[in-house]
Amino acid sequence: MPAVAVTLGGTALMVTFRTGWSANLDLVWDDWWTSYVFVDRGPALVAYGLCALALGTLLALLLRRTLAALGAALAVTLLLTMVLDSLRSALWPTVTRHSARAFDPPEGAWQLDGGRRDGRYFLTYHPESHFWPLHLMETGVLLGVAALCTAAAFALLRRRVG
């Protein structure tokens, strides 16, 4: 039941955020790749909630203390969020362009690197079309962690009860 509540609540929040985002693009001050905007616009929001629930359940079974498990689950979830935020650009192949003259990235692109090397200009970026592949890769990682934590929690519970 808690997983259903997390899924429905996260989906409602995601739809609300996406609707507000698309209706007010002229008021948006952050780009699509910033952490809280990126996560809130797709299924990774629900995956973060499910992953936190699975981590909390596993840690509660391991620690046998509710408050300690809650704090540990919060710390591990925050750590996982920071790790995925720092690795997000590597979840999908980037685009690299080279030219004899300096150039700007395409409109809406997430520029990762750029400059001059060996007398030529280069630019490495994620175009806006990489939003969904990046998002689905991050969602897959989170759901994989959630599945592993859920399996470990069931195995631990089976061993204790059986």
Side-chain angles (χ1 to χ4, degrees), residues 1-18 39-40 42-50 53:
M1 289 305 292
V4 171
V6 167
T7 301
L8 293 176
T11 302
L13 288 172
M14 185 227 357
V15 169
T16 303
F17 186 83
R18 285 188 66 81
V39 170
D40 295 345
L45 179 66
V46 176
Y48 270 105
L50 291 172
L53 178 64

Side-chain angles (χ1 to χ4, degrees), residues 70-89:
L70 180 65
L74 176 64
V76 172
T77 302
L78 287 174
L79 179 66
L80 181 63
T81 302
M82 289 188 299
V83 167
L84 284 175
D85 191 39
S86 67
L87 296 176
R88 183 172 294 135
S89 64

Side-chain angles (χ1 to χ4, degrees), residues 112-129:
L112 301 170
D113 195 12
R116 188 176 176 138
R117 189 181 310 144
D118 299 329
R120 292 179 52 100
Y121 291 92
F122 74 98
L123 188 64
T124 302
Y125 62 94
H126 278 294
E128 202 167 356
S129 63

Side-chain angles (χ1 to χ4, degrees), residues 106-162:
E107 180 78 26
W110 175 14
Q111 183 177 343
L112 301 170
D113 195 12
R116 188 176 176 138
R117 189 181 310 144
D118 299 329
R120 292 179 52 100
Y121 291 92
F122 74 98
L123 188 64
T124 302
Y125 62 94
H126 278 294
E128 202 167 356
S129 63
H130 285 190
F131 172 79
W132 283 110
L134 285 165
H135 211 284
L136 294 175
M137 291 297 291
E138 186 166 340
T139 301
V141 168
L142 288 164
L143 291 177
V145 170
L148 289 174
C149 288
T150 302
F154 274 112
L156 184 61
L157 189 61
R158 185 176 300 126
R159 196 176 70 192
R160 282 191 187 160
V161 173

